[in-house]
Amino acid sequence: MMKLIEIEPHFWELYQNQEQLYLSVSVDNSAVTYNWDLHLTEAQQQAYQQQGRESIVELAKQIVAAVFRGDFSFVEKHDTTAEEKAAIFAAFKQWREAQKQD
């Protein structure tokens, strides 16, 4: 089951489904906000296990910088499936509902 495990509001969210981690990153270029849901590589997942949240902060910054340079290779290579995107959306919705109850 997909769960939201870390969040930096309006920037990124980190999700976990069993052993796989997913990063949802928002990129705001003033006119439009783009959002990408990405699966993390084994190395990126290990970095998170060893360094925690800071590794995700740095990865998100790298992704945003690449997108602003017009380099979409990482987001294209690590894009999630429609099923994964739906699970991420459902997990976010569940998390948001839980926040309203607190």
Side-chain angles (χ1 to χ4, degrees):
M1 181 173 150
M2 188 77 71
K3 290 184 180 179
L4 176 59
I5 60 172
E6 295 258 8
I7 186 168
E8 182 66 35
H10 310 291
F11 185 28
W12 58 263
E13 298 139 21
L14 184 65
Y15 296 86
Q16 183 173 15
N17 188 10
Q18 298 173 345
E19 298 299 316
Q20 180 63 48
L21 296 178
Y22 299 88
L23 183 62
S24 182
V25 180
S26 295
V27 180
D28 185 355
N29 74 355
S30 297
V32 178
T33 299
Y34 298 95
N35 193 68
W36 282 279
D37 297 326
L38 311 166
H39 62 84
L40 299 188
T41 66
E42 185 66 35
Q44 291 160 341
Q45 292 183 83
Q46 287 177 355
Y48 176 69
Q49 296 301 324
Q50 295 169 356
Q51 301 165 17
R53 182 182 181 92
E54 190 57 35
S55 69
I56 300 302
V57 170
E58 289 305 312
L59 177 59
K61 287 178 183 178
Q62 291 170 10
I63 292 168
V64 169
V67 167
F68 276 122
R69 287 192 313 270
D71 179 0
F72 296 89
S73 60
F74 182 84
V75 296
E76 290 170 350
K77 184 176 179 183
H78 298 281
D79 196 14
T80 54
T81 66
E83 183 178 292
E84 290 167 331
K85 288 178 192 306
I88 287 169
F89 179 75
F92 181 79
K93 189 174 175 183
Q94 182 179 29
W95 174 83
R96 189 176 59 202
E97 288 300 317
Q99 298 304 302
K100 288 179 184 178
Q101 294 174 4
D102 290 343

